[in-house]
Amino acid sequence: MTAILSATGVELSFGATPALRGADLSVAEGEIVAVMGPSGSGKSTLLHCLAGILAPDAGEITFDGVRLNDLSENARSELRRDRFGFVFQFGQLVPELTTVENVALPLLLAGVRRDAAIRRAREWFGRLGLDGLETRRSGELSGGQAQRVALARGLVAGPRVLFADEPTGALDSLTGEQVMDLLVATARDQGTTVVLVTHEARVAAYADREVMVRDGRVTTPAEAVAP
Amino acid sequence: MSVPLTLLGLLERAPSHGYDLKRDYDTFFGVGRSLPFGQVYATLSRLTRDGKVVMDEVSPGDGPERKRYVITEQGATEVSTWLAEPVAPEPHLQSILFTKVVLALMLDRPADAYLDGQRRSHLARMRELTTVKQSGGLIEKMLADHALFHLEADLRWVDATTARLDALRTEIRQVKP
Ligand SMILES: Nc1ncnc2c1ncn2[C@@H]1O[C@H](COP(=O)(O)OP(=O)(O)OP(=O)(O)O)[C@@H](O)[C@H]1O
Ligand SMILES: [Mg+2]
């Protein structure tokens, strides 16, 4: 089984604080992996390294056969834009834009023409139960609605990998379930690989398997398994 | 799970043949473990003996399917009382998980490895239940949710205990045999 994404011996410190101390993780194409572990153990840092947001001090990250360590800052940011999607705990929608513009944003950044981008963004609204909310601003949405908009934005460009950091962290359990149902169904549908950071077992139970991060290391057997 | 009271409750909904009663029981309460016919009829005859149910001949002849069971006022009162009564709050203070952890620490066995294993099996079960939820109807969803929330509670305890294992070991070892 070849991994689409892997971390090998990744170390990273913030000043004197070691956040990752030799983290290994290997994710198969199309797999949904939950990353669990105590607060401060290094889950988000690992996700940021895997996604090429942070460059590790030591160890390597590979995506689709390419060593991210060898890429320039610019090349990594292109990779993030073209191949990766992101959903965070708080949707981080752009408040000045309408929801449909927010969803279209990754397409616009990738150079898709505005009318085509808006059209593709609109297609997500029915699917995620957001019909009629296209022209609202993010301040006019409930938390669950905003999170579904963020999910649409994360998926609209058809990423190879979706990185989700506590995507249901701010939601009640039924709303969180709705977001997870949609996330998993869409990822399966598109064959998107998902790295899902969560401390909630009920959320992790949507994944194909879970790994635990403790003190900057991945402790549960971390080999990729076929989904 | 109280089978007699559940059957009484179904009878309050409508008088039924034993066969229909079993079918309704299995639909709502028997997911994964249906009620044997023998138990249905044994329970009904006890309820009849105790005056909570009476038999009502709907068609001539004999055989169990000719008879309908009808709830009595005494039976209905019992159902009302039962439905209003809170169940004793369950999770017992000391579960088997707790016992294993304390003994493992006492005997210098790898409690952390045990807790990791427990965590993995709990999560594996939660994954199965999540799959059930994604395909099943609302009744299956509700049942799976009930199990999921309980397993989640266990897991939170497992995590909290894992985080305090060293302190716990020290405290337990202080008590000499
Ligand atoms: N930007 C930063 N600057 C300094 N220290 C940081 C920074 N980001 C993270 N850290 C530190 O690195 C360690 C790992 O943090 P990280 O955010 O990866 O944890 P986490 O597992 O995601 O925790 P949580 O569940 O609370 O989100 C922590 O000690 C944290 O304080
Ligand atoms: Mg985090």
Side-chain angles (χ1 to χ4, degrees):
Chain A
M1 170 60 59
T2 54
I4 185 173
L5 187 66
S6 71
T8 315
V10 169
E11 296 175 19
L12 189 138
S13 294
F14 295 102
T17 314
L20 294 177
R21 317 163 177 245
D24 300 303
L25 177 64
S26 167
V27 184
E29 174 122 53
E31 198 184 17
I32 302 181
V33 177
V35 178
M36 306 188 73
S39 186
S41 59
K43 303 180 295 293
S44 296
T45 308
L46 177 60
L47 181 137
H48 292 149
C49 286
L50 286 167
I53 296 170
L54 289 172
D57 301 333
E60 66 171 27
I61 307 284
T62 61
F63 166 71
D64 207 14
V66 177
R67 253 174 61 100
L68 263 53
N69 310 55
D70 300 337
L71 300 182
S72 67
E73 182 73 44
N74 263 348
R76 276 193 283 134
S77 113
E78 256 169 52
L79 182 74
R80 287 201 297 275
R81 192 189 66 202
D82 298 340
R83 299 279 180 269
F84 298 162
F86 296 90
V87 189
F88 297 110
Q89 177 167 5
F90 300 101
Q92 302 184 340
L93 300 176
V94 182
E96 292 78 15
L97 301 179
T98 62
T99 54
V100 76
E101 287 166 340
N102 263 287
V103 174
L105 205 53
L107 297 171
L108 295 169
L109 292 174
V112 176
R113 278 188 33 207
R114 184 177 166 84
D115 51 346
I118 297 289
R119 193 162 5 92
R120 273 173 66 186
R122 269 184 200 284
E123 286 166 13
W124 285 86
F125 280 71
R127 192 159 167 191
L128 298 188
L130 295 168
D131 272 327
L133 301 178
E134 289 84 345
T135 57
R136 297 242 191 128
R137 315 259 154 189
S138 61
E140 300 164 344
L141 299 175
S142 75
Q145 290 166 340
Q147 207 54 340
R148 275 176 284 161
V149 172
L151 181 60
R153 187 178 63 181
L155 290 166
V156 71
R160 294 281 299 282
V161 185
L162 180 74
F163 293 95
D165 196 346
E166 302 282 6
T168 62
L171 307 177
D172 68 26
S173 55
L174 274 188
T175 318
E177 189 172 311
Q178 205 177 16
V179 168
M180 282 312 298
D181 280 337
L182 291 167
L183 189 156
V184 167
T186 322
R188 297 267 188 237
D189 209 39
Q190 304 187 335
T192 310
T193 304
V194 180
V195 179
L196 168 68
V197 167
T198 180
H199 66 274
E200 284 179 276
R202 267 176 316 106
V203 173
Y206 280 87
D208 297 312
R209 66 183 167 113
E210 79 283 352
V211 298
M212 286 291 287
V213 178
R214 288 215 177 92
D215 293 329
R217 289 192 192 88
V218 180
T219 61
T220 322
E223 312 80 52
V225 290
Chain B
M1 182 64 176
S2 170
V3 172
L5 282 158
T6 309
L7 291 184
L8 265 183
L10 287 173
L11 283 174
E12 183 176 334
R13 179 167 163 253
S16 295
H17 297 294
Y19 177 85
D20 297 329
L21 214 48
K22 172 190 159 50
R23 187 202 51 210
D24 289 349
Y25 183 97
D26 288 351
T27 303
F28 289 104
F29 311 111
V31 180
R33 56 192 160 107
S34 71
L35 197 58
F37 270 113
Q39 194 181 347
V40 176
Y41 288 110
T43 306
L44 285 169
S45 81
R46 248 178 290 120
L47 290 170
T48 311
R49 182 200 63 202
D50 296 341
K52 295 167 192 167
V53 158
V54 291
M55 228 127 51
D56 166 25
E57 299 270 342
V58 284
S59 47
D62 39 40
E65 291 316 313
R66 310 214 174 270
K67 301 191 191 100
R68 271 191 339 176
Y69 294 87
V70 181
I71 194 166
T72 62
E73 211 169 291
Q74 187 195 336
T77 308
E78 192 152 319
V79 171
S80 298
T81 310
W82 184 60
L83 288 183
E85 216 168 51
V87 174
E90 222 174 301
H92 307 297
L93 218 45
Q94 302 192 15
S95 71
I96 182 81
L97 274 63
F98 173 87
T99 308
K100 282 191 175 213
V101 170
V102 172
L103 274 175
L105 291 172
M106 230 176 236
L107 304 176
D108 207 13
R109 301 276 158 68
D112 49 352
Y114 160 69
L115 285 167
D116 274 352
Q118 190 66 64
R119 184 167 213 294
R120 264 199 302 279
S121 17
H122 263 58
L123 257 166
R125 179 69 186 130
M126 289 179 78
R127 257 196 296 279
E128 286 171 12
L129 289 163
T130 303
T131 310
V132 167
K133 257 176 76 166
Q134 285 166 318
S135 54
L138 209 49
I139 291 180
E140 280 90 351
K141 269 201 204 341
M142 274 171 64
L143 272 173
D145 261 340
H146 190 262
L148 278 166
F149 282 116
H150 279 82
L151 290 167
E152 182 186 36
D154 277 351
L155 264 184
R156 291 171 77 151
W157 181 86
V158 164
D159 284 345
T161 304
T162 302
R164 291 182 187 137
L165 217 47
D166 290 337
L168 201 58
R169 181 182 292 110
T170 309
E171 188 158 323
I172 287 169
R173 295 289 188 81
Q174 272 166 7
V175 184
K176 297 292 171 213

